Amino acid sequence: MQKKKVALLGDSIFDNEVYVARGESVIEQIGKINKKDWHAELLALDGAITRDIAWQCAQVGHDITHIFVSCGGNDALGYINVFGEKCSSMIEAMHKLTEIKLQFQGFYQEMLDSILKLNKKLSLCTIYDSSPEIEEELLTALTIFNDIIFKEAFKLGIPVIDLRLIFDQPADYSSVSTIEPSEIGGKKIAKAIAYVVENHDFNTKNSVIYSTGL
């Protein structure tokens, strides 16, 4: 049987080393899990956006069997100024949000196209939406981005790790930066990845949401 090898692509949700104590990053948490038939490598990069994933794909080795992607949060941050603009009506505001949705959808589809060409077993992650120091209105706006992630995943039968439900405590966020995973949050991510690798049937091409019971 081929040994499973996992590649983590995306942003600082996976590449969180500078936001946690030494030895407690997501990739190091994965290394602590008692597993026999697979291991993981980190290709994600802090600050990456969807359009950066094509470059990360170029680093994926032929021996990689599974890819996990957590990306989109930095894309959302890129629209922060738009979210602060004044509008004369709800219709005008919804028009701006629709433009953002369609643009992000295009970027996310392009990202998926790059990954799918690799022909690996793929899993996606949502963007968590309970960071303790971000205004509730901005967290609400993340539904636009998560809706696209779910829609594209379901179209392709890709499993999704729903970080919105996994990150359910303030302690899940780093004290260095409250939009990054802490040691506790990173451990939850590591366990979720391990559960999907070891239990999801990728042959079914059915989307499954993973969030609890990990």
Side-chain angles (χ1 to χ4, degrees):
M1 179 182 293
Q2 180 186 16
K3 186 172 182 178
K4 301 170 187 174
K5 187 172 182 181
V6 175
L8 307 183
L9 276 60
D11 52 31
S12 56
I13 303 305
F14 291 155
D15 183 27
N16 69 325
E17 181 179 11
V18 300
Y19 305 105
V20 295
R22 185 175 181 179
E24 299 295 330
S25 65
V26 169
I27 191 66
E28 290 166 317
Q29 295 274 16
I30 291 175
K32 296 176 184 179
I33 294 173
N34 183 20
K35 54 193 187 326
K36 297 180 180 179
D37 64 343
W38 67 277
H39 68 282
E41 66 177 45
L42 179 68
L43 298 177
L45 185 64
D46 186 2
I49 58 176
T50 50
R51 284 165 287 174
D52 295 324
I53 303 305
W55 181 86
Q56 294 181 18
C57 286
Q59 315 305 310
V60 173
H62 294 296
D63 57 341
I64 293 294
T65 58
H66 295 65
I67 291 177
F68 286 78
V69 181
S70 183
C71 197
N74 290 320
D75 292 74
L77 288 174
Y79 295 105
I80 196 75
N81 291 333
V82 178
F83 293 143
E85 293 178 358
K86 293 182 178 181
C87 296
S88 60
S89 67
M90 285 294 293
I91 290 295
E92 182 182 352
M94 294 302 291
H95 176 72
K96 290 185 177 181
L97 292 177
T98 300
E99 289 182 333
I100 291 172
K101 175 183 176 180
L102 293 175
Q103 187 176 52
F104 177 70
Q105 183 174 29
F107 292 150
Y108 205 81
Q109 288 173 337
E110 289 176 4
M111 180 194 79
L112 286 177
D113 287 343
S114 297
I115 300 169
L116 292 171
K117 290 177 182 177
L118 300 174
N119 195 30
K120 310 294 183 181
K121 296 174 180 178
L122 174 62
S123 302
L124 301 174
C125 297
T126 60
I127 305 167
Y128 47 55
D129 61 358
S130 57
S131 180
E133 292 187 10
I134 297 181
E135 298 90 334
E136 189 66 31
E137 293 79 5
L138 293 178
L139 294 176
T140 298
L142 290 176
T143 58
I144 296 171
F145 301 88
N146 281 320
D147 180 64
I148 293 301
I149 293 172
F150 275 124
K151 183 176 182 179
E152 297 304 320
F154 293 166
K155 280 164 53 178
L156 297 166
I158 297 171
V160 179
I161 295 176
D162 196 344
L163 296 180
R164 299 174 303 173
L165 299 178
I166 292 175
F167 275 58
D168 57 358
Q169 300 294 328
D172 295 328
Y173 297 90
S174 171
S175 59
V176 177
S177 172
T178 55
I179 62 172
E180 309 295 349
S182 67
E183 294 89 343
I184 294 172
K187 186 175 183 179
K188 288 183 175 182
I189 293 173
K191 286 184 175 180
I193 290 171
Y195 188 88
V196 174
V197 171
E198 296 169 1
N199 293 279
H200 183 75
D201 184 1
F202 286 88
N203 294 319
T204 62
K205 294 298 180 181
N206 286 331
S207 293
V208 178
I209 300 172
Y210 292 94
S211 59
T212 58
L214 304 173

